[in-house]
Amino acid sequence: MIDSHCHLDLLASKVDLHVSLESAKAAGVTRIMAPSINPPSWKALQALSEQYGSILPIDTALGLHPYFLTDSNQNSQASTTDAHEQGISESLERLEAAAANLHLSVKAVGETGIDGHINVPFTLQKRVLHAHLKLADAISLPVILHHRKSHHLLLEALKQARYQGVGVVHAFSGSVEAAKAYIERGFYLGIGGTITYERARKTRDTLKYLLENHFDKILLETDAPDMPMYGRQGVPNEPQYLSDVVDVMHELFAVSPDQTTSITTENYLRLFNAA
């Protein structure tokens, strides 16, 4: 199994990362993608990739998560609109500079996207997303997209940016129609802990469609340390629990764990050009 979305730097603040990664390896996890959230996380994740790569290969991504855009300029405490805009611009410049001198672990651009549940103006989120899409196209890396109540906005942004690349919509929980729209644009869909909850009927229905028609567009993920699996609420989510997703897919749709593991691993390696 490959965990296509795990915030290792955030997980490291909650658990012993060495123990967690050894447990993940013992559970059958063979690789991890660690997306970033802000400039300080880029080097932190790259350092973790070097430190723990002997346990599991750790891929990383360069991005500015929409949730953290209100604090994008880590070197400024300024609160005025002009100063904040300058901070965003500086962060985007740092993103381009980091992309011009890629660390060996970097396989994607992100996490970026649009979130409809946060107090960050859509105009700002769209501006930053557009910059990520432009960069991903320029350096030929896939993009990792975040969504919450924003599928229509994301699809609109991809069209407006004339994005030519590929990517993954992480923690996908949309309709069959939304899934089709992303797949038509060459995107993959990340499936995680949401499907372990019985109340997630829409997501389960969409997953059924994907398994029957687009198995080659599915990735597995935990989003650790967040998005706990059913029955594991109250403790940090970890990569070792990725098998819960595989088990639920087997229970609901009679897809063998070996088939799920094999196909999603191939999908990941193809998308991120990883070896």
Side-chain angles (χ1 to χ4, degrees):
M1 299 177 293
I2 297 181
D3 188 347
S4 68
H5 202 100
C6 172
H7 293 281
L8 282 181
D9 51 339
L10 303 181
L11 182 62
S13 68
K14 298 178 179 293
V15 301
D16 184 318
L17 198 55
H18 186 277
V19 173
S20 181
L21 291 174
E22 288 285 8
S23 297
K25 183 176 181 179
V29 176
T30 57
R31 195 178 194 105
I32 289 173
M33 165 59 76
S36 57
I37 58 173
N38 55 23
S41 71
W42 304 342
K43 288 190 178 297
L45 289 169
Q46 291 162 16
L48 291 176
S49 177
E50 295 175 358
Q51 182 178 355
Y52 295 106
S54 59
I55 302 176
L56 287 174
I58 298 171
D59 301 320
T60 68
L62 296 171
L64 303 171
H65 193 296
Y67 187 83
F68 297 92
L69 291 180
T70 52
D71 191 27
S72 290
N73 185 5
Q74 299 297 317
N75 297 317
S76 172
Q77 299 300 316
S79 58
T80 67
T81 300
D82 289 345
H84 182 63
E85 285 293 325
Q86 181 180 354
I88 295 294
S89 296
E90 290 175 357
S91 291
L92 290 174
E93 289 173 2
R94 293 171 67 183
L95 180 64
E96 288 193 11
N101 187 26
L102 285 180
H103 187 269
L104 287 175
S105 68
V106 177
K107 301 291 185 183
V109 172
E111 176 177 358
T112 183
I114 299 177
D115 193 310
H117 280 206
I118 58 177
N119 189 28
V120 178
F122 280 134
T123 53
L124 176 58
Q125 294 191 56
K126 290 177 181 178
R127 172 193 167 196
V128 173
L129 170 60
H130 186 92
H132 282 75
L133 295 174
K134 182 179 178 181
L135 178 63
D137 260 340
I139 62 177
S140 298
L141 287 181
V143 65
I144 300 173
L145 294 182
H146 167 92
H147 73 89
R148 275 203 304 178
K149 300 294 183 181
S150 58
H151 288 306
H152 63 298
L153 296 175
L154 283 174
L155 289 164
E156 180 182 77
L158 291 170
K159 182 178 181 179
Q160 290 177 343
R162 297 182 180 178
Y163 182 62
Q164 300 300 309
V166 294
V168 56
V169 181
H170 115 80
F172 183 77
S173 59
S175 65
V176 170
E177 289 70 26
K180 289 179 179 179
Y182 286 117
I183 289 171
E184 286 174 359
R185 285 194 162 273
F187 273 75
Y188 293 64
L189 305 174
I191 304 300
T194 298
I195 69 160
T196 65
Y197 292 83
E198 187 175 355
R199 66 176 181 268
R201 294 179 181 176
K202 181 181 73 173
T203 304
R204 288 181 169 188
D205 288 343
T206 301
L207 178 57
K208 182 177 186 296
Y209 164 80
L210 292 171
L211 291 172
E212 293 173 349
N213 298 277
H214 298 287
F215 210 154
D216 62 334
K217 292 295 185 179
I218 293 175
L219 301 184
L220 302 176
E221 66 166 81
T222 61
D223 198 22
D226 297 320
M227 290 185 68
M229 309 293 173
Y230 177 75
R232 302 187 189 276
Q233 301 94 318
V235 298
N237 197 10
E238 298 186 51
Q240 63 179 302
Y241 303 140
L242 189 61
S243 58
D244 288 9
V245 178
V246 176
D247 290 343
V248 168
M249 290 171 66
H250 175 62
E251 293 168 6
L252 292 178
F253 309 112
V255 181
S256 75
D258 286 346
Q259 183 182 17
T260 296
T261 298
S262 175
I263 293 177
T264 56
T265 293
E266 290 177 4
N267 296 346
Y268 179 97
L269 297 177
R270 181 170 60 253
L271 172 62
F272 293 111
N273 193 26

